[in-house]
């Protein structure tokens, strides 16, 4: 049996999608900045991310020798949890700055796994591929260097050249190229070394390879902009609420002040820590990571990594918050309790709430801080340390509302 490996590409930043969603969000009561919008591969279909549904769908199209999924390096551990939960045996590979670089990285990984004769390559953004389209492509196995699905054009096509002259093209001669594409691995690998290309067929054709065409599918439209969701008719995201809890504790020593909730509090103490010791923001990090199932602050920012020596905890929280939004969540509110005998916390609560609200990207009234002593009991009561507990509420990003109508 001819060996064929599946390669799915999903490492992009979704800049066009997020920009278009930001544009449509202006029609909402509270518009969102692009940083609070998810990447398209992480849109939720019920609770399942889009990339996972595409992977589930395509891996059943053939008995593939290997299945590889290209992803952003920082998302790989999180994606692996989903793959394991659903029993999918995919090898995750780090994406590059371009689609082609991601593909080349995946091919290098495939060769380390033993290689294959052919590769069946598609994009996560091509998220609604019917099984019969995949079968049409795979039925041409062995006949060409590259097999490509295409659609005919129905409209008249014209373009203006550099001299502003108008030219009309014969639509009968034009093809809309789709994926998945089936390519001879050795031919594709060599072709990709000879220039920059937008897909496998253009690389192989530019280097003298043979191209075979099969009929594509209208429903296999590529998801590029938020309005494309209207045509794809994907399942709605879950309305489930997610809750995460986090806690942190640091010892105190004599010093020149502490930072708590992102606010400098003058006193004759300081927190002993690898970073700036902001137990409040550290607990928030763990609360968010707990709600989305993405580990803990020690995994993200280990205290044996000198990169984080003296780190500003606002920067650490910002990284966690950005990740949560990118992978399809929306932060709703945060409730924080600070246990400290000293220094006095109450005068700084409002400033801390305002700072945290800004970091989380939510209104001030959705952040609440409670401060309490322990009546001089325990290590906190003795002034030896500060303990913070945080509860964070999140939901799945509801992409159906981010359209000038309703998707």
């Amino acid at each position: 049996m001819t060996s064929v490996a599946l390669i799915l590409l999903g490492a992009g930043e979704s800049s066009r999608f997020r920009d278009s969603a930001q544009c449509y969000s202006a029609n909402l009561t509270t518009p969102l900045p692009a940083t609070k919008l998810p990447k398209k591969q992480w849109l939720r279909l019920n609770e399942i991310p889009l990339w996972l549904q595409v992977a589930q769908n395509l891996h059943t199209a053939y008995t593939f020798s290997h299945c590889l999924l290209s992803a952003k390096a920082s998302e790989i551990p999180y994606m692996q949890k989903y793959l394991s939960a659903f029993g999918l045996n995919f090898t995750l590979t780090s994406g590059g700055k371009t689609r082609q670089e991601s593909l080349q990285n995946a091919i290098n990984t495939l060769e380390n796994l033993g290689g294959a004769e052919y590769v069946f390559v598609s994009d996560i953004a091509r998220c609604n591929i019917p099984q019969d389209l995949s079968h049409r492509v795979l039925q041409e196995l062995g006949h060409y260097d590259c097999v490509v699905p295409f659609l005919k054009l129905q409209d008249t096509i014209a373009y203006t050249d550099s001299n502003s002259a108008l030219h009309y093209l014969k639509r009968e001669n034009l093809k809309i190229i789709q994926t998945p594409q089936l390519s001879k691995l050795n031919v594709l690998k060599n072709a990709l070394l000879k220039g920059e290309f937008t897909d496998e067929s253009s690389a192989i054709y530019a280097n003298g390879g043979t191209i075979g065409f099969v009929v594509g599918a209208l429903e296999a439209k590529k998801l590029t902009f938020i309005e494309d969701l209207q045509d794809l008719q994907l399942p709605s995201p879950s309305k489930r609420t997610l809750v995460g809890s986090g806690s942190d504790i640091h010892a105190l020593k004599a010093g020149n002040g502490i930072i708590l909730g992102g606010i400098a509090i003058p006193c004759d103490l300081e927190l002993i820590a690898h970073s700036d010791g902001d137990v409040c923001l550290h607990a928030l990090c763990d609360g968010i990571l707990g709600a989305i199932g993405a580990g803990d602050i020690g995994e993200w920012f280990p205290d044996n990594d000198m990169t984080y020596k003296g780190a500003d905890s606002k920067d650490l929280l910002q990284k966690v918050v950005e990740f949560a939004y990118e992978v399809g969540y929306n932060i709703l509110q945060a409730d924080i309790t600070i246990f400290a005998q000293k220094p006095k916390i109450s005068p700084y609560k409002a400033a801390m709430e305002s700072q945290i609200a800004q970091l989380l990207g939510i209104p001030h009234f959705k952040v609440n801080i409670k401060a309490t002593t322990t009546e001089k009991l325990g290590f906190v009561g003795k002034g030896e340390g500060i303990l913070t507990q945080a509860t964070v509420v999140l939901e799945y990003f509801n992409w159906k509302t981010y359209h000038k109508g309703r998707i």
Side-chain angles (χ1 to χ4, degrees):
M1 184 176 181
T2 303
S3 60
V4 181
L6 171 64
I7 296 178
L8 292 178
L9 302 173
E13 292 297 329
S14 298
S15 56
R16 288 180 293 175
F17 178 84
R18 297 174 86 186
D19 287 346
S20 68
Q22 182 186 21
C23 177
Y24 283 122
S25 82
N27 295 287
L28 300 179
T29 304
T30 307
L32 289 182
T35 52
K36 287 191 65 175
L37 294 162
K39 299 200 292 186
K40 58 190 174 187
Q41 55 266 47
W42 284 99
L43 294 177
R44 302 295 165 141
L45 315 181
N46 194 3
E47 293 187 283
I48 295 176
L50 182 67
W51 66 263
L52 182 60
Q53 175 163 297
V54 176
Q56 287 178 309
N57 178 40
L58 281 181
H59 100 285
T60 61
Y62 188 81
T63 305
F64 294 107
S65 60
H66 300 283
C67 294
L68 296 92
L69 176 58
S70 174
K72 185 177 178 180
S74 61
E75 296 172 9
I76 287 178
Y78 192 50
M79 296 175 83
Q80 187 60 62
K81 293 184 73 172
Y82 281 88
L83 291 171
S84 299
F86 285 85
L88 291 177
N89 186 23
F90 273 75
T91 299
L92 290 162
T93 68
S94 293
K97 295 180 180 179
T98 64
R99 180 188 188 277
Q100 182 166 323
E101 189 175 326
S102 295
L103 177 56
Q104 288 172 310
N105 289 350
I107 288 173
N108 291 339
T109 300
L110 173 60
E111 292 189 321
N112 290 334
L113 295 173
E117 296 172 74
Y118 285 81
V119 285
F120 190 66
V121 181
S122 195
D123 305 273
I124 295 299
R126 190 85 57 184
C127 58
N128 200 22
I129 298 169
Q131 285 286 327
D132 60 341
L133 172 56
S134 295
H135 294 159
R136 284 197 294 276
V137 174
L138 288 160
Q139 282 172 1
E140 298 300 320
L141 180 64
H143 296 163
Y144 303 93
D145 292 326
C146 184
V147 182
V148 185
F150 79 99
L151 296 176
K152 295 179 180 180
L153 279 83
Q154 298 176 329
D155 298 313
T156 299
I157 304 296
Y159 75 95
T160 304
D161 65 20
S162 58
N163 296 318
S164 299
L166 185 63
H167 301 269
Y168 284 85
L169 301 175
K170 288 186 176 182
R171 61 189 176 196
E172 295 82 1
N173 296 336
L174 301 176
K175 292 179 171 64
I176 299 174
I177 301 299
Q178 297 184 311
T179 63
Q181 297 181 14
L182 179 67
S183 304
K184 284 185 178 179
L185 178 57
N186 62 332
V187 175
L188 176 60
K189 180 183 177 182
N190 293 331
L192 292 175
L193 297 175
K194 298 178 181 179
E196 294 296 324
F197 305 96
T198 56
D199 76 333
E200 297 76 65
S201 68
S202 57
I204 289 175
Y205 181 76
N207 288 278
T210 58
I211 308 296
F213 291 100
V214 299
V215 176
L218 285 173
E219 57 266 47
K221 179 177 181 177
K222 190 174 182 181
L223 174 57
T224 304
F225 304 106
I226 189 77
E227 56 265 35
D228 295 331
L229 288 165
Q230 195 164 27
D231 297 325
L232 292 168
Q233 298 295 308
L234 299 171
S236 299
S238 169
K239 294 182 180 180
R240 185 188 299 272
T241 298
L242 303 106
V243 179
S245 64
S247 63
D248 195 32
I249 182 172
H250 282 299
L252 287 164
K253 67 177 182 179
N256 299 311
I258 66 172
I259 297 175
L260 204 57
I263 301 298
I265 298 178
C267 61
D268 58 0
L269 300 167
E270 68 179 69
L271 288 158
I272 302 172
H274 185 64
S275 65
D276 63 8
D278 192 331
V279 289
C280 187
L281 298 192
H282 295 177
L284 276 171
C285 285
D286 268 350
I288 295 169
L289 294 172
I292 68 176
D296 60 47
I297 191 172
E299 297 172 33
W300 278 63
F301 315 111
D303 60 10
N304 58 1
D305 186 340
M306 294 307 295
T307 303
Y308 305 112
K309 178 67 176 176
D312 186 335
S313 294
K314 293 193 296 295
D315 294 335
L316 306 185
L317 177 59
Q318 196 63 55
K319 289 181 181 179
V320 171
V321 168
E322 288 175 359
F323 180 83
Y325 283 123
E326 282 187 352
V327 298
Y329 298 94
N330 185 33
I331 299 173
L332 296 179
Q333 66 184 81
D335 183 39
I336 303 149
T337 303
I338 301 170
F339 299 87
Q341 195 70 37
K342 57 181 181 178
K344 189 75 171 175
I345 303 298
S346 295
Y348 305 96
K349 284 169 54 178
M352 292 164 61
E353 287 174 348
S354 179
Q355 176 69 85
I356 290 169
Q358 182 179 346
L359 291 168
L360 298 183
I362 61 178
H364 186 164
F365 70 86
K366 292 189 176 182
V367 177
N368 186 65
I369 291 179
K370 307 184 295 291
T372 184
T373 67
T374 58
E375 301 295 337
K376 297 186 178 181
L377 297 173
F379 69 92
V380 171
K382 294 176 183 177
E384 297 174 351
I386 296 178
L387 168 67
T388 302
Q389 295 178 335
T391 301
V392 186
V393 181
L394 295 88
E395 65 181 357
Y396 293 109
F397 175 81
N398 187 1
W399 47 266
K400 287 217 167 187
T401 64
Y402 283 75
H403 191 266
K404 58 185 175 183
R406 289 276 177 169
I407 294 175

